[in-house]
Amino acid sequence: MPPHPETWLQPRPEGLFCLPGGFFIDATRAVDRAIITHGHADHARPGHQHVLASVETLAIMRSRMGEGRAGITQQALAIGEVLRIGDVDVSLVPAGHVLGSCQVVMEYQGSRAVVSGDYKRRADPTCAPFTPVVCDVFVTEATFGLPVFRHPDTDKEIAKLLHSMTVFPERPHLIGAYGLGKSQRVIALLRASGYDAPIYLHGALAKLCTLYGELGINLGDLRPATVADKSALRGAVVLAPPSAVADRWARRLDDPVVAVASGWMRVRQRAKASGVELPLIISDHADWDELLATVIDVQAPEIWVTHGNETALIYQLGLMGRRGRALSLIGYGDEGDDT
Amino acid sequence: MKPFADLLERLLYTQGRNAKIALLADYFATRPDPERGYALAAIAGKLDFPGAKPAVLRALVATRADPELFALSYDYVGDLAEAIALIWPKAEVESPPELPSVVDQLRRTPREAIPALIATWLDASDVSTRIALIKLITGGLRVGASLRLAKLALAQRFGVEVDAIEEIWHGLLPPYPTLFDWLERRTARPDPGTTPVFRPPMLAHPIEDTDRAGLDWSAYRAEWKWDGIRVQLVATPGGKRLYSRGADDISASFPEILAAMEFNAVLDGELLVIRDGVVAPFADLQQRLNRKIVSAKARAEYPVAVRLYDMLFDGAADLRGLPFDQRRARLEAWFAATTPARMDISPQIDFETEADLAGLRASARDDGIEGLMLKAAASPYLAGRPKGYWWKWKRDPLSLDCVLMYAQRGHGRRSSFYSDYTFGVWTEEGRLVPIGKAYSGYTDAELLVLDKWIRSHTTATYGPVREVEPGIVLEIGFDAAQRSSRHKSGIALRFPRILRLRLDKPVAEADRLETATRLIGAAAV
Ligand SMILES: [Zn+2]
Ligand SMILES: [Zn+2]
């Protein structure tokens, strides 16, 4: 009988550790061997000796951390290719979260565990879609693990933004969006809707947008907001990290409509508390329905939850006849790239 | 229902007053009758559906969601209507009901059938419509300030004075067909008849040094400015009402005043807690405000009375066009003849020169006095704040030198500035204890200095709040200090504001708690 994944995949202070492979997944401190699911700062930390990840994730890590800090040695693994590490067969499949994001599939003596990293199930023009893999244990996130989180259609949210731009044609629309993934997705969605005017960027977003371009994601005419004069920004779309939206940086804009693109915008009091005038419910994480659909798709009898609102999800898993287990890993959850 | 729900959602996220008025105006101009009338009634809190209380909604959501999951969700969201709206299963086909049909059906449906009715509506609606529906049904839409904004929006959109709406408002009934007929010039303004409606009050300007310099003092009458709340007493053959300055009907909170209104007149005065002829501090009156049911104990402990200072109607006679002196004579004669219980007349102060009044203003230390009122002898009673007729001459504030402790970002145009400040004073043990918050009083230049300093001297952050090192002294002005069990310091300041930044002053020399405590009871001079 194949060994239960409990016996060979263990939560440790540094993150999840695969014993027969000798590696961590998304280690939160510097370790010898790490497999990285995606480039967000809470999952991709600097200072590891050997890093294995998708080509795009490695490029994103180098761009954000600099060559040396993104792993002393870097090894790319192509989607679907199987690599034996120690006694474990490892492969990467798309997670649909941000460009390059992958689930880590591990097989050991006939037992299979999948670590999702962060993921979503909706279409995203900037990355490959989530692929469900049938397994014995599925390790999931639960950022939006409450049934009140049901993200609306992304198209409707983009339509809301475009409508606001016709109601306030003179005012710049300042959109707070995470630097990796969300910004590029919002830009790509705007482009797909036919918006082809220049889009202005906060300095912190420029490098990653350029990198996306190099990796084949065309985002159209992008310009720095910092050097643009006020009149050029009238009626324009400006993107900045969420923290900059309420910061001194935003004072360069004349009476902006402040928008934030995030799944958290679903809850009104939370949106209002952040001073947002136009909340855009656009998320790169699975909502409640997507979490439950994924549990069914991967057919795993046992689900481990790394971080997020796990109480409700684990309760619901019980109702669905699955065993839920909270790993309560410390160090994930804040995408960490905007502060 | 969808357009009304969209309006509510946009109002929620819109910061500026003018922008909110624009949204409301657009809604009233574009939506049909009777929908807009019911929307106005909902904003006014005039729709009541006894069969639909929050408990009904709680029971209903248990039929659509697991109770455990709902409890966790409600705990997270914090608002019942929103938690229900969000957890409710997604509509297969969205076809939300129209607002008039919601009102109509809720009124006609027997109580036991109401939950099923609400469920069919929620099943057919999107999230924001569900939130609006639940708030409408359970009476959760009443938001104090928004009714006034709605009236301003109507006035602006249809080109009438907002006071012309206020004057008839309390005689109107939802969905206000006569109001919209008049606004759209199909009929004359509805006549309130003998309904005890509210009349917009005459307000005073704060007097500045430059105003005083040019004043002909012989043309003015002086009274004390009482520290209570301004009220309008309306008693007609059609009924009796007590209104606040903002046109809220506060009759239910003050039944003993209503009982004393056995006359036919409209009077202007100050509502006060008075014990043995002495006006109690404003904090005592606060114990009586915003209460729907008043206990006998509260009535005995905080006895209220009205100090009258003007007369708008004597019976059916409208006195508002008469000069102040003539109205005052009518008031005094009427009072002598009527002798209503729980009322007296605010005395006029004898004076000849500005110096007489300045001396009185400086020496009055009573709790109940905020300063002086100056009223032109010839002034008619005009709605609003006409310049040159009535002046208020407040006492100089009390002040304390306090240390900045916490800062929070403001709203709207101030949302990128740390503009809300918590300040404290030193205890005997040399610790800082917070004694108040201020959001105003500083200049734009001072705001920039504070904002910059706060960002570079933060010692901890708690969500939107920054804790700063003790390094800035603020001179805080306030109208009075009151004992408070809700504050750790045991003291609460009335109307605190920043008088100036004391960058010259070392924090160690800021005031001590014992100094602040000694000011309790002393009103500003
Ligand atoms: Zn992520
Ligand atoms: Zn994450």
Side-chain angles (χ1 to χ4, degrees):
Chain A
M1 196 173 137
H4 191 284
E6 223 161 45
T7 62
W8 56 272
L9 188 62
Q10 294 176 346
R12 293 190 175 179
E14 301 94 322
L16 265 183
F17 184 65
C18 177
L19 271 78
F23 59 82
F24 286 90
I25 299 170
D26 291 351
T28 54
R29 347 181 155 160
V31 296
D32 186 39
R33 287 180 165 276
I35 300 181
I36 306 297
T37 59
H38 68 287
H40 277 143
D42 53 335
H43 297 259
R45 308 263 176 174
H48 305 310
Q49 287 293 317
H50 307 283
V51 170
L52 178 87
S54 69
V55 172
E56 294 88 351
T57 297
L58 291 176
I60 289 165
M61 287 176 73
R62 284 194 301 273
S63 159
R64 307 187 89 186
M65 303 169 186
E67 294 275 346
R69 300 176 69 229
I72 305 299
T73 62
Q74 287 200 334
Q75 183 179 2
L77 186 58
I79 302 298
E81 195 181 310
V82 178
L83 179 73
R84 176 152 280 238
I85 306 176
D87 297 325
V88 187
D89 284 330
V90 175
S91 59
L92 299 178
V93 296
H97 176 54
V98 299
L99 180 60
S101 68
C102 286
Q103 311 171 68
V104 181
V105 181
M106 290 161 286
E107 280 198 65
Y108 175 61
Q109 297 182 357
S111 149
R112 184 189 290 160
V114 175
V115 176
S116 72
D118 295 335
Y119 67 100
K120 68 172 175 290
R121 302 298 300 270
R122 289 161 199 252
D124 179 341
T126 66
C127 65
F130 180 95
T131 311
V133 177
V134 172
C135 56
D136 300 300
V137 162
F138 182 68
V139 184
T140 184
E141 58 138 328
T143 303
F144 292 116
L146 273 173
V148 291
F149 289 111
R150 289 213 222 69
H151 309 321
D153 289 347
T154 312
D155 291 348
K156 274 195 187 167
E157 299 302 293
I158 292 294
K160 208 159 89 180
L161 170 62
L162 292 170
H163 176 70
S164 176
M165 287 160 61
T166 61
V167 176
F168 303 109
E170 294 287 299
R171 299 172 68 188
H173 279 64
L174 173 59
I175 305 171
Y178 282 127
L180 169 59
K182 187 70 61 63
S183 310
Q184 295 80 17
R185 183 174 173 212
V186 168
I187 295 169
L189 288 166
L190 275 169
R191 297 303 187 211
S193 76
Y195 184 80
D196 53 11
I199 291 176
Y200 295 86
L201 301 179
H202 182 283
L205 307 184
K207 216 160 128 192
L208 280 166
C209 286
T210 307
L211 180 64
Y212 263 57
E214 287 163 13
L215 294 171
I217 311 292
N218 181 15
L219 300 174
D221 186 354
L222 303 178
R223 301 180 188 182
T226 327
V227 294
D229 69 302
K230 263 195 182 181
S231 62
L233 297 177
R234 190 177 300 146
V237 172
V238 182
L239 265 76
S243 63
V245 158
D247 200 15
R248 274 180 290 184
W249 186 87
R251 289 178 203 163
R252 73 192 64 235
L253 302 177
D254 187 22
D255 191 22
V257 174
V258 174
V260 167
S262 160
W264 299 114
M265 295 296 111
R266 178 85 273 187
V267 177
R268 288 184 173 190
Q269 290 316 315
R270 193 157 175 160
K272 192 164 166 54
S274 57
V276 170
E277 185 173 343
L278 182 68
L280 300 173
I281 310 165
I282 300 177
S283 175
D284 285 334
H285 293 273
D287 69 4
W288 179 255
D289 291 341
E290 293 170 54
L291 289 171
L292 302 192
T294 305
V295 164
I296 291 167
D297 288 349
V298 299
Q299 300 171 27
E302 193 165 326
I303 310 291
W304 298 356
V305 185
T306 51
H307 65 289
N309 284 298
E310 62 225 12
T311 314
L313 182 59
I314 286 171
Y315 172 83
Q316 171 69 25
L317 289 170
L319 299 181
M320 294 166 72
R322 262 84 171 170
R323 186 176 163 226
R325 177 184 174 199
L327 300 181
S328 304
L329 295 180
I330 310 296
Y332 303 118
D334 182 359
E335 299 291 26
D337 55 356
D338 70 316
T339 45
Chain B
M1 197 68 206
K2 179 87 179 121
F4 182 53
D6 287 345
L7 170 71
L8 293 177
E9 183 165 352
R10 293 187 68 186
L11 284 174
L12 175 76
Y13 292 118
T14 300
Q15 305 274 2
R17 186 181 154 86
N18 289 339
K20 286 186 184 189
I21 291 173
L23 288 171
L24 285 157
D26 187 53
Y27 178 84
F28 290 127
T30 54
R31 299 308 301 169
D33 290 318
E35 181 195 312
R36 55 184 175 172
Y38 282 123
L40 183 58
I43 291 169
K46 293 282 183 204
L47 297 178
D48 190 25
F49 308 108
K53 290 287 163 251
V56 171
L57 271 303
R58 282 170 187 269
L60 204 53
V61 73
T63 67
R64 292 291 198 283
D66 181 276
E68 182 76 22
L69 290 176
F70 179 70
L72 287 166
S73 299
Y74 181 27
D75 189 49
Y76 181 87
V77 175
D79 179 85
L80 183 67
E82 189 172 354
I84 294 173
L86 287 172
I87 207 169
W88 199 268
K90 192 168 159 32
E92 273 162 32
V93 183
E94 281 179 19
S95 58
E98 295 300 324
L99 176 54
S101 138
V102 168
V103 175
D104 188 49
Q105 294 194 60
L106 280 174
R107 285 186 176 151
R108 285 192 294 112
T109 306
R111 193 173 280 227
E112 63 277 7
I114 282 185
L117 179 66
I118 297 172
T120 55
W121 289 335
L122 296 180
D123 282 342
S125 300
D126 59 291
V127 172
S128 76
T129 304
R130 280 189 217 131
I131 295 177
L133 263 169
I134 297 168
K135 297 221 174 209
L136 175 81
I137 291 168
T138 56
L141 279 180
R142 225 162 334 201
V143 197
S146 53
L147 176 58
R148 177 70 182 170
L149 294 183
K151 289 173 185 165
L152 286 164
L154 289 171
Q156 205 176 79
R157 191 63 181 213
F158 296 104
V160 300
E161 291 295 319
V162 68
D163 286 339
I165 298 174
E166 292 286 14
E167 279 205 4
I168 55 166
W169 174 255
H170 287 277
L172 302 172
L173 288 174
Y176 312 110
T178 55
L179 173 70
F180 286 102
D181 279 345
W182 162 58
L183 289 173
E184 289 178 339
R185 309 291 193 274
R186 285 188 292 275
T187 57
R189 191 169 75 139
D191 179 1
T194 60
T195 317
V197 293
F198 173 78
R199 268 77 179 193
M202 180 157 178
L203 305 172
H205 277 275
I207 197 163
E208 309 291 342
D209 295 349
T210 48
D211 300 317
R212 286 207 309 281
L215 221 59
D216 171 10
W217 292 84
S218 68
Y220 282 83
R221 309 290 175 250
E223 298 164 20
W224 295 114
K225 179 167 174 24
W226 303 104
D227 189 12
I229 64 165
R230 180 94 179 263
V231 288
Q232 188 174 98
L233 299 78
V234 187
T236 70
K240 299 188 280 186
R241 295 268 199 293
L242 184 66
Y243 291 111
S244 72
R245 202 188 95 175
D248 289 327
D249 181 352
I250 54 170
S251 310
S253 301
F254 303 97
E256 64 267 59
I257 302 292
L258 261 278
M261 287 164 59
E262 290 298 330
F263 47 73
N264 181 359
V266 178
L267 305 165
D268 191 357
E270 197 84 3
L271 184 69
L272 300 160
V273 169
I274 300 183
R275 291 193 195 90
D276 303 323
V278 180
V279 177
F282 187 79
D284 284 23
L285 182 58
Q286 266 173 327
Q287 302 296 321
R288 290 289 306 267
L289 296 175
N290 303 320
R291 295 200 177 197
K292 282 226 167 114
I293 300 157
V294 193
S295 66
K297 185 164 168 274
R299 272 188 284 189
E301 270 180 53
Y302 305 103
V304 288
V306 178
R307 192 148 278 180
L308 302 168
Y309 36 68
D310 215 322
M311 187 169 209
L312 284 68
F313 280 76
D314 185 354
D318 187 346
L319 311 186
R320 289 177 291 177
L322 300 179
F324 176 74
D325 273 355
Q326 285 186 38
R327 293 200 310 277
R328 174 84 191 188
R330 291 283 290 259
L331 174 65
E332 287 176 7
W334 172 89
F335 189 84
T338 315
T339 59
R342 295 190 174 277
M343 288 170 215
D344 58 14
I345 292 192
S346 184
Q348 291 194 324
I349 301 168
D350 279 335
F351 75 99
E352 274 171 21
T353 63
E354 178 182 356
D356 295 344
L357 285 180
L360 280 170
R361 172 175 169 271
S363 62
R365 301 209 58 116
D366 293 10
D367 268 343
I369 291 177
E370 269 192 298
L372 292 170
M373 292 295 302
L374 298 171
K375 297 178 178 176
S379 70
Y381 194 94
L382 299 170
R385 213 185 289 273
K387 193 131 189 170
Y389 287 118
W390 287 13
W391 301 99
K392 53 185 173 191
W393 193 7
K394 284 213 195 184
R395 289 188 288 206
D396 293 334
L398 295 162
S399 75
L400 283 169
D401 287 337
C402 301
V403 180
L404 178 64
M405 297 178 69
Y406 305 96
Q408 195 170 350
R409 278 202 298 264
H411 295 286
R413 284 188 178 265
R414 278 193 189 162
S415 62
S416 70
F417 292 95
Y418 283 88
S419 61
D420 300 0
Y421 309 111
T422 301
F423 47 82
V425 287
W426 297 106
T427 65
E428 226 159 285
E429 300 83 48
R431 282 180 300 108
L432 280 173
V433 57
I435 58 164
K437 281 186 180 198
Y439 320 89
S440 64
Y442 40 76
T443 63
D444 286 352
E446 285 175 329
L447 176 61
L448 279 175
V449 170
L450 281 168
D451 181 78
K452 185 159 179 239
W453 188 89
I454 287 159
R455 288 171 192 274
S456 53
H457 294 82
T458 302
T459 53
T461 59
Y462 311 94
V465 178
R466 286 188 183 220
E467 182 175 358
V468 296
E469 61 188 59
I472 290 244
V473 176
L474 304 170
E475 187 181 334
I476 302 291
F478 51 97
D479 286 1
Q482 292 159 354
R483 204 169 292 287
S484 162
S485 52
R486 274 182 303 154
H487 296 76
K488 211 168 32 171
S489 61
I491 178 171
L493 307 182
R494 189 151 147 74
F495 297 136
R497 63 266 186 195
I498 292 170
L499 297 180
R500 55 198 171 123
L501 291 190
R502 293 295 305 270
L503 297 174
D504 55 312
K505 193 157 192 170
V507 283
E509 289 175 23
D511 278 312
R512 293 162 145 264
L513 183 57
E514 56 182 74
T515 315
T517 309
R518 253 186 270 126
L519 294 174
I520 290 176
V525 177

